[in-house]
Amino acid sequence: MKKCQLKKDGSGSLRTFNPIRDKTIFLAVSFILWFSHFIYVSILSPYMESIGGKYTFIGIVLGSYGLMQLLFRLPIGISSDMRKVRKPFLIFGMMVSALSCFIFSVTDHLIWVLVARCLAGIAAATWVVFTVLYSSYFSDSEVHRAMSMISFIVVFAQLLGMGLSGYIVEEWGWHAPFWMGGGIAVIGVILSFFVFEPKDGIERNPIQLKDLTSVVKDPMLLKASSLSILAHSIIFSTMFGFIPAYALHIGFRAADLILVILSFMIPHAVATLYMGNILVPLMGKWGTLKISYLLASVFTFVVPFIHIKDLFYLVQVFNGFSLGIIFPLLLGMSIETIPHVKRATAMGAYQAIYATGIFAGPFFAGILNSRLGITAGFYFTAAIGLLAVILICFWERKNPFRTAVKIRNRLDL
């Protein structure tokens, strides 16, 4: 654990790093950032329908969240490295998150809805700074545990926010989740000023263009990033996109969405934490990915044929479980062949690349839904899953991962 340190607070006085207090404050701010985004995600597409939004426009709004992350995530990380500070970017992210929620709250105009969601994407892009700052609270041997804890906070915020949104709408109307998200985000802004930034936690050289270029050319990073684009396209076109709207179309009430969300998110979280360690030793990384994408494809394809509530919940269980295996597995594979000194750069590149899927998936699904009906997007998303299976079969046969490891081992010798 990091030794206690002195740092000037907002008043200019020195204060000591307190592990319990400062980690708690940081995790609270992290929770609030994601809670303020996800408290309205499950009702966003039906809300836009209710104010006259067409599926094409809904897809643009949903996709704008990923587009902003694609555009801003890497520049924010590079700027933070160059300035050797994290906290101002963290405060900025919380402020933009609050502004986004309040814009949603005070208008029903579709253009302002788009602006608000774009701002949410910019706020989410600051997450790369959050993770780097939190890891600075720990020694090198404890960083893995730190990332596990902060990942749990993200999943918990998503689960709680999405679970509550349908009930909040049922009780207080469409705008209530936005007001609640904005109010909680203001608390996050206040708390963010008390976040501790250790001086020795920012001694990291800025990302060099030559490092970024060499890292992006890494074969395994490119393959993991490509598959991650497809996985993010699936989840942001379904559970974080059009699944809630489809559920309301087939007779669900807004309050029922909590069960839809729980059916997906609980297996998703369980798979993220545990199942990868069980399946990967049995089937290998490529085999596990192949089965998981195939299951996600099949259970997305059958969504338009389901009208019974209990069966609908069951389909979400399998979808959440399958995608929960994919994401952490790809995260590890993306940096496994990268030298340690370049892994931070690789992670920034990986996060920026997969944001393409957050944009492209719902964007194209929205266009198809607008022209062919809301079920068309699910067929499109199922096809994305099959494309991933085909790519995995091709790459597994070539086995580039094993080759890359052998080459790296030779270089180490």
Side-chain angles (χ1 to χ4, degrees), residues 105-127:
S105 304
V106 299
T107 180
D108 281 329
H109 197 287
L110 289 169
I111 295 300
W112 282 109
V113 169
L114 175 60
V115 171
R117 193 57 177 162
C118 286
L119 289 174
I122 294 173
T126 63
W127 182 245

Side-chain angles (χ1 to χ4, degrees), residues 353-399:
I353 293 170
Y354 75 57
T356 305
I358 303 176
F359 163 71
F363 175 74
F364 289 111
I367 293 174
L368 290 171
N369 287 342
S370 182
R371 296 183 178 182
L372 304 174
I374 193 170
T375 59
F378 297 118
Y379 300 138
F380 165 72
T381 306
I384 290 176
L386 287 180
L387 174 60
V389 172
I390 294 170
L391 290 174
I392 291 166
C393 289
F394 177 72
W395 289 332
E396 184 182 27
R397 186 175 60 186
K398 293 183 67 175
N399 209 357

Side-chain angles (χ1 to χ4, degrees), residues 16 28 30 38 43 76 102 144 176 202 213 252 256 285 298 327 334 338 370 380 391:
T16 304
S30 300
F38 279 83
I43 57 92
I76 286 174
F102 285 129
H144 179 71
I202 57 177
T213 302
F252 283 61
D256 294 328
K285 294 182 177 70
V298 169
F327 289 116
S334 68
I338 302 292
S370 182
F380 165 72
L391 290 174

Side-chain angles (χ1 to χ4, degrees), residues 53-259:
K54 304 302 180 183
Y55 287 131
T56 299
F57 184 81
I58 292 173
I60 292 172
V61 172
L62 296 177
S64 67
Y65 182 73
L67 180 61
M68 293 301 104
Q69 293 183 60
L70 175 65
L71 296 177
F72 286 93
R73 180 166 275 167
L74 206 53
I76 286 174
I78 293 172
S79 297
S80 175
D81 280 346
M82 292 181 65
R83 295 175 180 273
K84 295 186 179 295
V85 291
R86 314 294 182 201
K87 185 173 175 179
F89 293 91
L90 184 148
I91 295 171
F92 170 76
M94 282 307 317
M95 288 181 170
V96 174
S97 184
L99 177 61
S100 168
C101 287
F102 285 129
I103 292 176
F104 273 122
S105 304
V106 299
T107 180
D108 281 329
H109 197 287
L110 289 169
I111 295 300
W112 282 109
V113 169
L114 175 60
V115 171
R117 193 57 177 162
C118 286
L119 289 174
I122 294 173
T126 63
W127 182 245
V128 64
V129 176
F130 277 72
T131 55
V132 173
L133 179 54
Y134 188 62
S135 66
S136 70
Y137 292 176
F138 297 82
S139 64
D140 289 342
S141 62
E142 296 176 309
V143 168
H144 179 71
R145 182 166 60 88
M147 292 301 99
S148 296
M149 174 56 70
I150 204 168
S151 296
F152 172 77
I153 290 295
V154 174
V155 173
F156 181 58
Q158 292 173 342
L159 174 61
L160 188 61
M162 294 180 68
L164 288 175
S165 57
Y167 172 79
I168 294 170
V169 167
E170 189 89 354
E171 292 294 319
W172 296 292
W174 287 114
H175 282 207
F178 304 126
W179 282 112
M180 186 171 293
I184 292 173
V186 169
I187 297 174
V189 171
I190 296 171
L191 286 176
S192 66
F193 282 94
F194 295 92
V195 166
F196 185 85
E197 182 172 25
K199 292 181 179 179
D200 66 352
I202 57 177
E203 293 177 359
R204 178 174 148 203
N205 291 328
I207 295 174
Q208 300 295 322
L209 182 59
K210 62 179 181 179
D211 291 335
L212 183 60
T213 302
S214 64
V215 162
V216 170
K217 290 180 179 179
D218 181 82
M220 181 51 64
L221 174 62
L222 289 174
K223 291 171 175 60
S225 299
S226 299
L227 291 174
S228 192
I229 289 172
L230 300 180
H232 281 85
S233 294
I234 294 171
I235 196 170
F236 276 86
S237 298
T238 53
M239 183 51 63
F240 297 165
F242 292 100
I243 283 287
Y246 178 74
L248 296 180
H249 269 273
I250 62 175
F252 283 61
R253 295 183 303 112
D256 294 328
L257 293 180
I258 186 171
L259 292 178

Side-chain angles (χ1 to χ4, degrees), residues 289-300 322 326 385-386 389:
L289 284 173
K290 185 164 51 179
I291 295 297
S292 299
Y293 273 106
L294 182 61
L295 289 175
S297 177
V298 169
F299 287 104
T300 300
S322 302
I326 290 170
L386 287 180
V389 172

